Amino acid sequence: MPERRNRRVLLAARPQGEPKESDFRLVEDPVPEPGPGQILLRTLYLSLDPYMRGRMNAGPSYAPSVEVGQVMVGGTVSRVEAANVGPFRPGDIVEAYTGWEEYALCDGRGVRKLDPSLAPVTTALGVLGMPGMTAWTGLMNIGQPKAGETVVVAAASGAVGSVVGQLAKVKGCRAVGIAGGEDKCRYVVEELGLDACVDHRRADLAEALKPECPEGIDVYFENVGGPVFDAVLPLLNPFARVPVCGLIAHYNDSRPPDGPDRLPWLMMQILVKRLTLRGFIVSDFARQQADFLAEVGPLVRDGRIKYREHFIEGLENATRGLIGLLRGETFGKTIVRVAPEGRS
Amino acid sequence: MPERRNRRVLLAARPQGEPKESDFRLVEDPVPEPGPGQILLRTLYLSLDPYMRGRMNAGPSYAPSVEVGQVMVGGTVSRVEAANVGPFRPGDIVEAYTGWEEYALCDGRGVRKLDPSLAPVTTALGVLGMPGMTAWTGLMNIGQPKAGETVVVAAASGAVGSVVGQLAKVKGCRAVGIAGGEDKCRYVVEELGLDACVDHRRADLAEALKPECPEGIDVYFENVGGPVFDAVLPLLNPFARVPVCGLIAHYNDSRPPDGPDRLPWLMMQILVKRLTLRGFIVSDFARQQADFLAEVGPLVRDGRIKYREHFIEGLENATRGLIGLLRGETFGKTIVRVAPEGRS
């Protein structure tokens, strides 16, 4: 039997602006052997998420940077190949955080066993995983939507935004999405059931958004920044809440945009409208995972919250997948199929 | 007996940038006669406050603008001259909101009787009035300081800031003030008991502030904006809270400052540090007035919260007083003595 190889994607260079393929390097190493207390995982699915762009930068952020030469980080659904620590057994399907490689060793911490009979295991990377919980924790803890209010969500067809918009409907709100392109907007309204969706590529975004929010905006779930934020801000009602979850429009910025400097203007808007802007990441609310699954699990099972997955085939295509995701070219939760789910 | 005259200060023009004396007009009218259901008040003290600058502008804000030709608004301590509505009686000293005039009619709504034996009546315009309650509600509801945390307050010798800093000490925090000039900084440390105070006029404000906050900043009570905010922002800890109470540095802005545009950068800071920025005005928390007086009243009586008043003599000098206040030239709660407190 030939030695099994472990393909891995390393960060090769810190990107300037938009990442390019040469910022990554695909290498092959031997598949490692698990020592005492270790598990060997085979990656089945790798999640691609906008936050990964931030990890490629140096400098302080809410999580450590990936060092040049290190494996890119990422959430995975994996199969246990060998386990020298309980409660895991070979063949178990688990959620883990082992990154962009085909095989990985870990000690079992942060690894969660999945029950494939409850839901497709890929949902652990999307609607019932980190993105879905991001949507739920940000909307519930910070957005605090009340029935009858208007909730606007950016990247409304994406892994996080699609859950935000559907949850807003469940809570009795008017839900308005913003998404890139006609196909995504149609999906947001016709499939997800939001009240309206506006294409952020329109030059007249602000004018197009206004009639969809006839009573202003009470909650804006911020995933993107840039021109979308500029269109939303004038429509925010007094006491509006803005969970700041992501700013994908700015992740590739290598220098601040030209002036004038609108920082004082934003502060004045916060003051005179008594806005709440609050940044968060899902791990800030980690202790709420059971509550999240208890509320959202049944909504997914009953079809009241729908989801869409965008598959990329093979680890070697993960790089192009992330670049496309950051450009808004993917549609739905973006997942790399690293190995077939059935026993190989 | 000669007809009594009522001097009044009207808004004469909307200021461009810093207000000037010609933006106001002093007029004399007859003292009005109270009709049924009305009270005639004689203004003893008029409060001058930074928010007044905002009311001089056109356009939407959290409160209606003063129209050109109208009397400038403002809080007052007044004596009841005649009352055709209960429970008021001639000679009562009351807190009211009748603005920049020597006599005013009102219907009694929003008028609160004061007990001069409990505290000097001018405290109803300062430490036990709107500014003190602004400090308390913003710090308690939004700042939520915990013992051991670091609280930084701008305009630390002013009517609001001085209460914020002293309350932070009462709550067991490290309290660091920022104020304009050596005299004010000495007062903040030596009289008010804050741990440190940094002069915002220093060119090296950011460098001077840093060693005074060796464990970063957990709460920043924002009264000023501008370079003070710029110095504070890099020192904010993850999960810091920023009650946005005022932005005096920007009230005279007639156009946004030159670029680069730092709005996206501020949003990124909110995201990666999971900051909470929340604007408020004291009336948002009006129902907490009894709680405020119950906590802060005894602290003032026991000398644990000190205050300083800056008196301006005569309504004809109110205009110059407000201009000086906006320039940071006044020191302590700024009050116009409109008429002698003793019976005239």
Side-chain angles (χ1 to χ4, degrees):
Chain A
M1 184 172 119
E3 189 192 41
R4 290 186 303 175
R5 307 298 291 178
N6 181 21
R7 294 194 298 172
R8 318 168 77 201
V9 178
L10 312 182
L11 180 64
R14 300 215 178 278
Q16 302 296 316
E18 184 177 61
K20 40 191 194 311
E21 300 225 26
S22 61
D23 295 327
F24 303 86
R25 189 166 73 245
L26 184 72
V27 298
E28 288 197 11
D29 291 314
V31 173
E33 290 293 324
Q38 288 190 316
I39 309 170
L40 177 65
L41 295 176
R42 176 155 196 187
T43 306
L44 304 179
Y45 300 102
L46 167 67
S47 180
L48 293 182
D49 300 279
Y51 77 84
M52 292 170 169
R53 176 64 187 84
R55 303 292 171 89
M56 301 174 76
N57 290 336
S61 182
Y62 47 60
S65 301
V66 178
E67 296 300 327
V68 172
Q70 277 187 337
V71 173
M72 279 291 295
V73 293
T76 61
V77 166
S78 302
R79 187 173 57 228
V80 176
E81 297 284 300
N84 294 333
V85 61
F88 303 102
R89 293 166 176 279
D92 284 351
I93 307 294
V94 298
E95 180 194 353
Y97 195 79
T98 52
W100 296 31
E101 53 187 344
E102 293 179 312
Y103 293 88
L105 290 179
C106 68
D107 63 5
R109 276 183 300 179
V111 175
R112 183 170 69 101
K113 212 173 144 171
L114 299 173
D115 181 348
S117 71
L118 282 182
V121 295
T122 52
T123 58
L125 302 178
V127 64
L128 294 178
M130 181 276 286
M133 186 161 157
T134 298
W136 183 84
T137 56
L139 188 65
M140 296 301 135
N141 289 287
I142 303 172
Q144 300 178 17
K146 294 167 212 41
E149 289 189 328
T150 297
V151 174
V152 171
V153 59
S157 69
V160 175
S162 62
V163 179
V164 171
Q166 293 177 93
L167 276 173
K169 288 304 297 176
V170 169
K171 298 293 171 187
C173 297
R174 178 171 176 83
V176 177
I178 299 174
E182 278 186 30
D183 283 357
K184 289 180 179 176
C185 286
R186 196 177 310 112
Y187 168 76
V188 165
V189 173
E190 294 179 5
E191 297 296 318
L192 302 184
L194 272 66
D195 296 288
C197 190
V198 179
D199 185 349
H200 71 71
R201 298 173 184 172
R202 296 174 63 142
D204 63 342
L205 173 60
E207 292 71 39
L209 183 60
K210 193 170 180 178
E212 303 299 351
C213 307
E215 298 184 54
I217 298 172
D218 301 294
V219 178
Y220 172 56
F221 195 101
E222 174 63 296
N223 282 319
V224 301
V228 175
F229 185 68
D230 300 344
V232 164
L233 191 52
L235 300 177
L236 290 176
N237 287 329
F239 305 105
R241 289 81 67 195
V242 180
V244 182
C245 173
L247 293 164
I248 197 169
H250 301 295
Y251 293 166
N252 288 334
D253 287 354
S254 50
R255 61 180 188 87
D258 290 338
D261 181 10
R262 297 180 305 152
L263 187 152
W265 175 74
L266 176 58
M267 293 297 289
M268 282 297 288
Q269 295 300 304
I270 292 171
L271 175 63
V272 301
K273 289 188 176 177
R274 289 96 104 194
L275 306 178
T276 299
L277 275 66
R278 181 172 162 196
F280 76 103
I281 58 174
V282 62
S283 54
D284 300 340
F285 301 105
R287 67 185 187 286
Q288 299 179 349
Q289 191 179 31
D291 295 334
F292 157 66
L293 290 171
E295 177 165 5
V296 179
L299 292 169
V300 172
R301 198 175 51 233
D302 300 347
R304 294 185 67 193
I305 289 187
K306 300 187 177 72
Y307 62 95
R308 178 181 176 124
E309 296 172 328
H310 177 105
F311 284 99
I312 288 163
E313 301 298 331
L315 186 66
E316 66 278 16
N317 291 314
T319 301
R320 262 182 292 170
L322 181 61
I323 293 170
L325 171 68
L326 292 169
R327 286 180 184 160
E329 293 169 0
T330 60
F331 185 173
K333 168 64 207 170
T334 307
I335 298 173
V336 182
R337 201 188 316 265
V338 179
E341 190 174 331
R343 275 218 163 272
S344 60
Chain B
M1 186 172 118
E3 188 191 41
R4 291 186 302 176
R5 306 298 291 177
N6 180 20
R7 293 194 299 173
R8 318 169 76 200
V9 178
L10 313 182
L11 180 64
R14 301 218 179 274
Q16 302 297 317
E18 185 178 58
K20 41 191 193 310
E21 300 225 23
S22 61
D23 295 327
F24 303 85
R25 189 166 74 246
L26 184 71
V27 298
E28 288 197 11
D29 290 314
V31 173
E33 290 294 323
Q38 287 191 316
I39 309 169
L40 176 65
L41 295 176
R42 175 154 196 187
T43 307
L44 304 178
Y45 299 103
L46 166 67
S47 181
L48 293 183
D49 299 280
Y51 75 83
M52 291 170 169
R53 177 64 185 85
R55 305 291 172 91
M56 299 173 77
N57 290 338
S61 182
Y62 46 59
S65 302
V66 177
E67 297 300 327
V68 172
Q70 277 188 337
V71 173
M72 281 290 295
V73 293
T76 62
V77 166
S78 301
R79 187 173 58 226
V80 175
E81 297 282 299
N84 295 332
V85 61
F88 304 102
R89 292 166 175 277
D92 284 351
I93 306 294
V94 298
E95 181 194 354
Y97 195 79
T98 52
W100 297 32
E101 53 187 343
E102 293 179 311
Y103 292 89
L105 290 180
C106 69
D107 63 5
R109 277 183 298 181
V111 175
R112 181 170 70 99
K113 211 171 146 173
L114 299 173
D115 180 349
S117 72
L118 282 182
V121 294
T122 52
T123 58
L125 301 178
V127 65
L128 294 178
M130 181 275 286
M133 186 161 157
T134 297
W136 183 84
T137 56
L139 188 66
M140 296 299 134
N141 290 287
I142 303 172
Q144 300 178 15
K146 295 168 211 37
E149 290 190 328
T150 297
V151 175
V152 171
V153 59
S157 70
V160 174
S162 62
V163 178
V164 171
Q166 293 177 91
L167 277 173
K169 288 305 296 175
V170 168
K171 298 292 171 188
C173 297
R174 179 171 176 83
V176 178
I178 299 174
E182 277 186 30
D183 282 358
K184 289 180 179 176
C185 286
R186 194 178 311 115
Y187 168 76
V188 165
V189 173
E190 295 180 4
E191 297 294 319
L192 302 184
L194 271 66
D195 296 287
C197 190
V198 180
D199 185 348
H200 71 71
R201 298 173 184 171
R202 296 173 65 144
D204 64 342
L205 173 60
E207 293 72 38
L209 183 60
K210 193 170 178 177
E212 303 298 352
C213 307
E215 299 183 52
I217 298 172
D218 301 293
V219 178
Y220 172 56
F221 195 102
E222 174 63 296
N223 281 319
V224 301
V228 174
F229 184 68
D230 299 344
V232 164
L233 191 51
L235 301 177
L236 290 177
N237 287 330
F239 306 105
R241 289 82 67 195
V242 181
V244 182
C245 173
L247 293 164
I248 196 168
H250 301 294
Y251 292 166
N252 288 333
D253 287 353
S254 49
R255 61 181 188 87
D258 289 338
D261 181 8
R262 298 181 303 153
L263 186 152
W265 174 76
L266 175 58
M267 293 297 289
M268 282 297 289
Q269 296 299 305
I270 292 172
L271 175 62
V272 301
K273 290 189 176 178
R274 290 96 106 193
L275 306 178
T276 299
L277 275 67
R278 180 172 162 196
F280 76 102
I281 58 174
V282 62
S283 54
D284 299 340
F285 301 105
R287 66 184 187 287
Q288 299 178 349
Q289 190 178 34
D291 296 334
F292 157 67
L293 290 172
E295 178 166 3
V296 179
L299 292 168
V300 172
R301 198 175 51 231
D302 300 346
R304 294 185 67 194
I305 289 188
K306 300 188 177 72
Y307 61 95
R308 178 180 177 126
E309 296 172 327
H310 177 106
F311 285 99
I312 288 164
E313 302 298 331
L315 185 66
E316 67 277 15
N317 291 313
T319 300
R320 262 183 292 170
L322 181 62
I323 293 170
L325 171 68
L326 293 169
R327 286 180 184 161
E329 293 171 359
T330 60
F331 185 172
K333 169 62 206 173
T334 306
I335 298 172
V336 182
R337 200 188 316 263
V338 179
E341 189 174 330
R343 276 215 162 274
S344 61

